[in-house]
């Protein structure tokens, strides 16, 4: 049945609209993952395996979805994850996403490799936002970006640690956007893809300029398009980084430090030891090492190991407010969403993303109400139906996190 005129309700609906609106190489860039995309699929599938335990006849006339994320109030325990080149998905896409995040009352995270700069995002509104940074070989640039971030009001730094090397993304290879500046010629040959997406062509390619990486423009003055910026960034990724560098970073960053990209309790503990205020359990949305575990399956063990020494976030596969509740039940304090916001912004800009965030909040509300809890602090493993859930690995992990109920599989 054609879905063209239906009102989008779920991230998957926005995904389909994004697919129609974006040139093929851009849609694949967002939608794809590494290698066989097994981890990408697992991230989503594992959430669906977690059954909630319906509990009725509780007073749920007042359900509060709000949460404290690193000490700051948010309308729900959700933040928008850093998504590189978001400004190619809609005109000044990151600025639109920031406005939608402000309206929804959740934090927006600006990627190092965004089209809009820190300064452009700060000018959208006075609401605080998070900034994501990679360790670059040129530490002077790292320092300067931290200073810039601080001076525009950023107080939460998300430091991504799972990109020492870059996972092979076959869709990007096929579309000619992997492999540095050589891609440019191939992009040009993709002109057909541009002209067959006229709305995007006018809105983004023509009216949405400049298309450089806003945060890096000053450091790569000769780069003229995303492909040339990408080549520079890839040459700057520092594969020699260790936890000692995080300690260095801790010494120069005064705000909250969140380490993004840990996938084991051991690494999470090392992050905390290096001074992290929070960790994000993440496999980069299945875009790096294909074949690793889903983020949600690892979350309970990380939460158990870290305890209350740092905030626990997870991302990868969160596609609804129900997933938000599931993640909290398994030990997370909050989640980040990547592709869902990218799909929505590509499908219909700020208005679409605002609507999608309202849907997430409503779904979280319904899930909490029908699990019999009225505030996020009361969400724990007891709201999961372990007997009906799979896969075994997740449930075993959940039981490690300490489930008081008798029906835990062990
Ligand atoms: C198109 C795209 C670009 C991304 N760019 C970045 C980035 O610049 N920095 C970063 O730390 N993570 C980046 N990520 C990973 C996300 O922050 C997040 O970890 C991931 O999308 C979560 O999985 P989900 O898409 O299933 O929600 C990117 C993800 C996508 C889909």
């Amino acid at each position: 049945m054609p879905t063209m005129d239906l009102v989008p309700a779920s991230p998957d609906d926005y995904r389909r609209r994004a697919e129609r609106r974006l040139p093929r190489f851009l849609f694949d860039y967002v939608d794809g993952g590494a290698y066989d995309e097994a981890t990408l699929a697992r991230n989503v599938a594992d959430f669906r395996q977690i059954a909630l335990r319906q509990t009725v006849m509780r007073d749920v006339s007042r359900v509060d979805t709000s949460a404290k994320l690193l000490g700051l109030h948010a309308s729900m325990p959700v933040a928008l994850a850093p998504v590189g080149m978001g400004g190619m998905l809609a005109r000044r896409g990151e600025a639109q996403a920031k406005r939608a995040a402000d309206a929804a009352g959740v934090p927006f995270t600006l990627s190092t490799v965004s089209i809009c700069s820190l300064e452009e995002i700060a000018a959208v509104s006075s609401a605080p936002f998070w900034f994501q940074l990679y360790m670059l070989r040129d530490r002077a640039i790292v320092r300067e970006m931290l200073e810039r971030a601080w001076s525009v009001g950023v107080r939460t730094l998300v430091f991504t640690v799972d990109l020492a090397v870059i996972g092979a993304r076959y869709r990007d290879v096929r579309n000619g956007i992997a492999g540095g500046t050589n891609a440019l010629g191939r992009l040009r040959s993709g002109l057909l893809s541009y002209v067959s997406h006229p709305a995007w062509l006018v809105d983004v390619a023509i009216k949405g300029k400049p298309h450089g990486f806003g945060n890096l423009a000053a450091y790569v003055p000769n780069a003229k398009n995303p492909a040339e910026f990408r080549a520079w960034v890839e040459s700057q990724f520092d594969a020699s980084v260790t936890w000692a560098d995080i300690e260095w970073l801790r010494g120069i960053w005064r705000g909250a430090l969140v380490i993004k990209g840990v996938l084991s309790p051991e690494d999470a503990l090392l992050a905390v030891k290096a001074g992290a205020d929070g960790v994000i359990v993440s496999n980069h949305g299945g875009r790096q090492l294909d074949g690793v575990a889903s983020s949600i399956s690892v979350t309970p063990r990380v939460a158990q190991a870290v305890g209350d020494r740092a905030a626990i976030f997870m991302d990868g596969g969160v596609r609804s407010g129900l997933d938000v509740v599931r993640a909290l039940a398994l030990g997370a304090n909050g989640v980040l969403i990547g592709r869902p916001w990218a799909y929505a912004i590509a499908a219909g800009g700020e208005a679409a993303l605002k609507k999608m965030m309202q849907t997430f909040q409503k779904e979280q509300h319904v899930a909490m109400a029908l699990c019999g809890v009225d505030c996020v602090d009361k969400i724990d493993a007891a709201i999961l139906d372990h007997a009906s859930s799979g896969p075994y690995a997740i449930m075993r992990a959940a039981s490690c996190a300490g489930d008081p109920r008798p029906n835990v599989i062990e």
Side-chain angles (χ1 to χ4, degrees):
M1 195 174 76
T3 53
M4 194 75 89
D5 298 314
L6 298 180
V7 179
S10 69
D12 203 45
D13 296 341
Y14 291 107
R15 174 181 178 274
R16 265 178 260 144
R17 286 197 170 205
E19 186 171 17
R20 285 200 298 271
R21 200 177 150 87
L22 294 173
R24 177 66 189 257
F25 76 91
L26 266 182
F27 176 73
D28 278 347
Y29 160 70
V30 173
D31 197 54
Y35 306 93
D36 288 337
E37 303 184 348
T39 294
L40 168 57
R42 201 177 284 162
N43 276 347
V44 177
D46 280 359
F47 263 112
R48 305 238 161 111
Q49 303 267 0
I50 302 165
L52 295 165
R53 179 199 292 265
Q54 179 168 299
T55 303
V56 296
M57 299 299 283
R58 302 285 164 93
D59 180 359
V60 286
S61 53
R62 284 162 199 265
V63 172
D64 181 1
T65 60
S66 72
K68 282 252 157 88
L69 300 182
L70 295 163
L72 290 183
H73 179 269
S75 66
M76 53 187 144
V78 179
L80 303 195
V83 168
M85 298 204 289
M88 297 306 290
L89 307 177
R91 190 192 315 180
R92 313 312 291 163
E94 294 101 354
Q96 293 201 53
K98 166 72 161 76
R99 279 195 287 269
D102 289 353
V106 300
F108 169 75
T109 313
L110 184 71
S111 163
T112 306
V113 292
S114 54
I115 300 296
C116 300
S117 66
L118 279 156
E119 292 76 10
E120 186 175 342
I121 294 302
V124 165
S125 80
S126 57
F129 61 102
W130 299 358
F131 179 54
Q132 174 269 325
L133 196 59
Y134 294 112
M135 188 65 87
L136 304 175
R137 283 180 203 282
D138 189 334
R139 298 291 199 273
I141 296 180
V142 173
R143 251 181 204 279
E144 195 175 308
M145 286 215 277
L146 292 178
E147 279 160 22
R148 282 171 58 196
W150 186 266
S151 72
V152 298
V154 172
R155 295 295 179 266
T156 300
L157 179 69
V158 173
F159 204 80
T160 301
V161 293
D162 59 4
L163 226 99
V165 293
I166 299 174
R169 299 171 195 160
Y170 289 160
R171 294 204 222 180
D172 288 356
V173 174
R174 292 185 189 114
N175 289 320
I177 66 163
T181 47
N182 292 343
L184 192 57
R186 276 169 286 171
L187 272 188
R188 287 208 182 101
S189 70
L191 269 181
L192 185 64
S193 173
Y194 289 143
V195 291
S196 55
H197 295 87
W200 177 87
L201 186 68
V202 174
D203 184 37
V204 187
I206 297 171
K207 294 188 178 166
K209 287 179 179 169
H211 293 145
F213 288 1
N215 295 320
L216 304 172
Y219 316 118
V220 206
N222 297 326
K224 288 177 199 63
N225 53 51
E228 290 177 9
F229 274 100
R230 224 172 127 144
W232 180 83
V233 171
E234 286 177 16
S235 75
Q236 277 284 330
F237 285 133
D238 188 348
S240 70
V241 171
T242 66
W243 293 111
D245 296 277
I246 303 298
E247 283 169 24
W248 168 81
L249 188 71
R250 181 70 282 183
I252 59 173
W253 175 252
R254 287 170 279 169
L257 177 63
V258 181
I259 299 297
K260 174 172 184 282
V262 297
L263 209 55
S264 71
E266 295 76 18
D267 277 352
L269 287 172
L270 289 169
V272 173
K273 193 164 161 245
D277 301 294
V279 293
I280 304 177
V281 181
S282 174
N283 48 39
H284 217 96
R287 298 166 75 81
Q288 281 293 89
L289 182 57
D290 196 28
V292 293
S294 67
S295 306
I296 191 60
S297 67
V298 178
T299 297
R301 279 177 284 138
V302 170
Q304 191 195 25
V306 170
D308 56 10
R309 278 173 286 180
I312 309 291
F313 298 93
M314 65 77 55
D315 74 18
V318 177
R319 296 292 178 267
S320 69
L322 307 187
D323 291 342
V324 176
V325 172
R326 289 171 170 130
L328 263 60
L330 288 173
N333 302 114
V335 305
L336 287 83
I337 53 171
R339 289 182 188 81
W341 85 250
Y343 296 142
I345 214 83
E350 180 185 341
L353 181 52
K354 266 190 199 163
K355 214 168 150 236
M356 195 190 75
M357 297 313 291
Q358 283 167 359
T359 305
F360 261 72
Q361 193 171 6
K362 275 188 206 145
E363 290 165 344
Q364 183 189 332
H365 180 120
V366 169
M368 289 172 66
L370 291 177
C371 288
V373 291
D374 58 5
C375 66
V376 293
D377 291 343
K378 292 186 187 159
I379 298 176
D380 61 19
I383 69 152
L384 301 178
D385 184 342
H386 299 276
S388 306
S389 292
Y392 178 69
I394 293 180
M395 289 308 102
R396 225 172 87 105
S399 65
C400 288
D403 184 344
R405 310 291 279 249
N407 67 342
V408 177
I409 301 168
E410 248 303 15

